[in-house]
Amino acid sequence: MLTYTHRGKVDAIYIDPPYNTGAKDWKYNNDYVEGDDAYRHSKWLAMMERRLLVAKELLNPDDSVLICTIDEKEYLRLGLLLEQTFPEARTQMISSVINPSGAARQAAFRRTDEYIFFVFVGKSAPLDLPLPAEWRVTRDKRAEKLRWDGLMRSGSNTQREDSPNQFYPIFVYEEDGEGIFHSVGKPFFGNRREFRGVPDGCCAIWPIRKDGSEGNWQISSRNAQALLSKGYLRLGRWRGSETAVTYLKKGNIDKVERGLFPILGQRKDGSIIVDETGYRSTFVTGTQWRVGSHSPEQGGTKLLTNILDGRRFPFPKSLYAVEDALRFFTKDKSEALILDFFSGSGTTAHAVMRLNKQDGGRRQCISVTNNEVSADEQKKLRKQGLRPGDPEWEALGICDYITKPRVTAAITGKTPNGEPIKGGYKFTDEFPMADGFEENAAFFTLTYESPLSVRHHRAFERVAPILWLRAGSQGRIITSLGVRGWNVSEVYAVLENFNESAEFFEALAGASGVRTVFFVTEDDAVFQMACRKLPEGVEPVRLYSSYLQNFEINRGRA
């Protein structure tokens, strides 16, 4: 269904699929997959592949990310499947410590971590973010200050012959015990000892390595002169021709020019002096995460218990872990569209609410889940003579018992019993959970509809939410076309009765926010005529042919 409404529009997918533990945590063909099933890995891969192929169609091919958590039971197979499904993307795996004390494993080391796969599609990449020190494997106090790097090249290609254009002198002189820049010389290709161009009263600093060999500078003489003019070149303690030279790389220059390090003045050598007191370092973290807030005990189980008046859900993700993972890719996308098609307890939707509150964003989250009842609960219900479909049975399904109530409670700040939620959010943007969020949520149940009923416009009310989703999920849902045979909402419109088209287009002209118009017609000429009357920038969609063809193409049937 989502390939009809959101093909190529999703910015981020976060999923926490079944881990295939063998403990009746998922079904294949309506049967639980047991731990001793010889085909359990194949079944798991088949289930995942079908969903990942659809996910690929939904992701924005230019810039999007797929985030998938997993543990040691399937991480190898998942990694191969992701590379097979997304061959043009870049895939990276993170190890995240979620239980420092470790969970016991029989005849094995205690398990302390799980894994997170990131699939970078198009130009997608994690953002530099201001992160607490615990995100670093080791504490680097230099990262909290403006960093000056050595101008001498180190590592590879360090010899003069590797970059002959970057072998040049820097002229300096001494005043009151401090070094001062005079100028930057041009590239020199002769014998350094025969150089005669040193200005009066100056000495030349050459890129000479500690072993006495001739090296090269990191940048060209032209770039060095440009940095010198802006105060981005600095001298170390005065040692004559052996005085160290440092410079600001592009990333640190950006921080200065963005005002993260306000300039207070200049040193005697002309280099800038900055205020470092208010700076919080931004960086892309490493592949080993050990973040306290990512514990599923505190940020998952206990938090969910408070929200849902004690209702239990097995192994919920930490709200803050999901929030942090998404922030790396949606911080600069205030209207990002995020999808979770293994939504379970609704943690992803909850995390998106928090992200929106932090920066006033309008990100949307689509959560998809079934309404399965847990294996243990099923046994109890069957003893009572209940079966799937019975109201008492369905009321205990994951969607109706956990997902919907959790999303609703997060927004309202009240438990399912109507009481204010106790406790508060921690770690980032702390406030009482009872405050809730300024968010909206709409819940839909997917059904199968007869193709004939759809084609003959007899299922419009049931199809209506899908049209609303296709048009951007904003404003009211057009559930009826009334006696006129048309309707216009804040962002989309539907026309079925073309005898009333003049009145329809008049109303459309006064609705500046409309970006999608659905025309219900089987007549090509009528459809083309209607398209020509649309304002520029409005997308025409033909019903119901486009709708039915989408399901025929993707599922082999309508």
Side-chain angles (χ1 to χ4, degrees), residues 10-11 59-66 88-90 119-127 328-329 332-333:
V10 175
D11 296 294
L59 287 167
N60 180 345
D62 298 324
D63 181 8
S64 59
V65 64
L66 170 71
E88 72 290 344
R90 293 161 289 118
V119 180
F120 310 118
V121 179
K123 64 180 182 180
S124 176
L127 298 171
F328 281 111
F329 302 91
D332 61 345
K333 297 177 181 177

Side-chain angles (χ1 to χ4, degrees), residues 72-128:
E72 76 274 18
K73 298 172 187 63
E74 295 292 358
Y75 82 102
L76 291 170
R77 297 171 185 84
L78 177 61
L80 291 172
L81 179 60
L82 289 172
E83 291 191 355
Q84 173 185 302
T85 309
F86 299 89
E88 72 290 344
R90 293 161 289 118
T91 302
Q92 189 172 26
M93 189 183 79
I94 298 292
S95 174
S96 177
V97 176
I98 59 171
N99 184 359
S101 61
R105 290 287 188 267
Q106 186 174 2
F109 296 108
R110 300 177 71 86
R111 174 178 167 259
T112 62
D113 57 357
E114 68 176 13
Y115 311 107
I116 312 174
F117 279 99
F118 291 85
V119 180
F120 310 118
V121 179
K123 64 180 182 180
S124 176
L127 298 171
D128 283 359

Side-chain angles (χ1 to χ4, degrees), residues 139-440:
R139 181 74 181 272
D140 183 2
K141 292 186 177 180
R142 293 179 303 169
E144 300 169 9
K145 300 180 179 181
L146 186 63
R147 178 165 179 162
W148 295 81
D149 288 278
L151 189 62
M152 175 91 73
R153 183 181 295 279
S154 59
S156 59
N157 300 319
T158 58
Q159 300 302 311
R160 175 178 179 177
E161 56 269 23
D162 294 326
S163 297
N165 286 325
Q166 289 173 205
F167 185 81
Y168 53 86
I170 296 175
F171 305 118
V172 297
Y173 62 93
E174 183 263 342
E175 187 176 283
D176 297 330
E178 295 185 42
I180 299 176
F181 287 107
H182 178 279
S183 58
V184 176
K186 295 181 180 180
F188 183 68
F189 303 100
N191 186 331
R192 170 174 54 90
R193 293 176 175 80
E194 297 177 358
F195 183 78
R196 298 292 182 267
V198 180
D200 291 342
C202 295
C203 65
I205 302 176
W206 296 89
I208 305 302
R209 298 172 55 76
K210 288 183 178 180
D211 61 4
S213 64
E214 294 180 335
N216 59 74
W217 300 118
Q218 297 265 20
I219 57 178
S220 68
S221 62
R222 177 181 295 181
N223 287 340
Q225 184 62 54
L227 294 182
L228 177 60
S229 67
K230 294 181 178 181
Y232 299 157
L233 218 57
R234 171 171 287 186
L235 290 173
R237 183 171 60 86
W238 177 251
R239 297 175 59 197
S241 61
E242 296 182 356
T243 301
V245 183
T246 57
Y247 76 116
L248 294 182
K249 290 185 176 180
K250 185 179 184 303
N252 284 289
I253 291 175
D254 289 343
K255 292 175 184 177
V256 171
E257 296 183 349
R258 283 160 45 204
L260 299 178
F261 289 103
I263 297 176
L264 301 177
Q266 289 183 311
R267 297 196 338 167
K268 203 165 186 178
D269 64 1
S271 62
I272 60 173
I273 300 172
V274 299
D275 181 3
E276 298 174 330
T277 58
Y279 176 69
R280 187 178 177 191
S281 63
T282 63
F283 58 96
V284 174
T285 185
T287 57
Q288 175 70 53
W289 295 2
R290 185 165 183 165
V291 182
S293 61
H294 293 186
S295 164
E297 178 67 21
Q298 297 297 325
T301 302
K302 291 185 177 180
L303 182 143
L304 196 60
T305 300
N306 287 344
I307 292 174
L308 296 181
D309 284 332
R311 298 184 186 186
R312 296 191 175 277
F313 178 81
F315 310 115
K317 276 284 173 290
S318 166
L319 171 65
Y320 310 106
V322 179
E323 176 186 331
D324 286 340
L326 288 171
R327 187 182 288 108
F328 281 111
F329 302 91
T330 65
K331 175 65 176 177
D332 61 345
K333 297 177 181 177
S334 61
E335 297 193 5
L337 177 64
I338 296 134
L339 169 65
D340 181 352
F341 50 85
F342 286 107
S343 69
S345 67
T347 305
T348 303
H350 198 165
V352 172
M353 295 179 204
R354 279 184 48 83
L355 291 172
N356 281 341
K357 182 180 183 299
Q358 290 159 22
D359 61 7
R362 295 170 59 87
R363 298 171 187 85
Q364 293 185 3
C365 181
I366 299 175
S367 300
V368 183
T369 186
N370 58 32
N371 201 38
E372 284 283 344
V373 175
S374 69
D376 292 339
E377 200 67 50
Q378 286 184 35
K379 292 180 181 178
K380 298 177 184 177
L381 294 173
R382 290 189 184 279
K383 288 181 179 179
Q384 299 173 32
L386 298 171
R387 294 292 182 268
D390 293 338
E392 298 88 346
W393 181 291
E394 298 299 323
L396 295 176
I398 182 174
C399 184
D400 289 339
Y401 190 65
I402 299 292
T403 318
K404 285 184 185 179
R406 193 256 181 90
V407 170
T408 302
I411 294 173
T412 63
K414 297 181 179 180
T415 69
N417 291 331
E419 298 294 325
I421 300 173
K422 296 178 181 179
Y425 295 106
K426 304 295 183 184
F427 309 108
T428 303
D429 190 25
E430 300 184 10
F431 63 95
M433 285 191 283
D435 287 357
F437 296 92
E438 294 183 3
E439 296 282 349
N440 301 306

